[in-house]
Amino acid sequence: MVGIANTLLHFAVLAGLVTVAKWPVWAANLLAFLAATGFGFWINAKWTFRQVPKKKTYLGFVCMMAVLAVSGGWLTDFFQLHSAFALVMTATGSWLLGFLGSNFLIFRQK
């Protein structure tokens, strides 16, 4: 559920900044990514894993998700695929990586 909410938030912020505020796509996507990642971290910490959000775990979460976003863009460029591939790969991968990475790395119980 968190992954779906993150994706919807990312798309909404991106669409609003590009269409309404006329931001360039790269800047709008960066802000949308940061908004969705911050929201996802906070919800996962509080609701899913019942932990107090910490700066160290937040940075780990953002780095983990940024690697996924950059990888999707790089693969899209490398294989000369349509840009929608990066969007689909990043969204799908973020659900899986977000869950597994959060569960076993970021919010693991000690």
Side-chain angles (χ1 to χ4, degrees):
M1 295 302 291
V2 174
I4 293 169
N6 282 349
T7 302
L8 293 174
L9 178 62
H10 189 142
F11 290 158
V13 171
L14 178 63
L17 290 174
V18 169
T19 59
V20 176
K22 305 296 185 207
W23 281 35
V25 175
W26 71 266
N29 193 45
L30 176 61
L31 187 61
F33 168 79
L34 292 173
T37 301
F39 172 78
F41 173 79
W42 185 77
I43 291 295
N44 273 319
K46 291 294 227 179
W47 183 46
T48 307
F49 297 102
R50 302 197 194 300
Q51 294 183 13
V52 175
K54 297 178 184 144
K55 289 179 188 177
K56 183 179 177 181
T57 53
Y58 175 70
L59 291 174
F61 188 80
V62 169
C63 289
M64 179 182 70
M65 299 308 280
V67 166
L68 175 66
V70 170
S71 298
W74 182 84
L75 287 171
T76 300
D77 288 341
F78 183 79
F79 291 109
Q80 298 178 347
L81 301 170
H82 190 277
S83 60
F85 176 80
L87 183 62
V88 170
M89 184 184 148
T90 302
T92 304
S94 70
W95 295 344
L96 181 61
L97 182 65
F99 173 76
L100 294 175
S102 293
N103 203 18
F104 296 111
L105 296 173
I106 306 299
F107 296 110
R108 72 176 179 262
Q109 299 294 322
K110 298 192 179 126

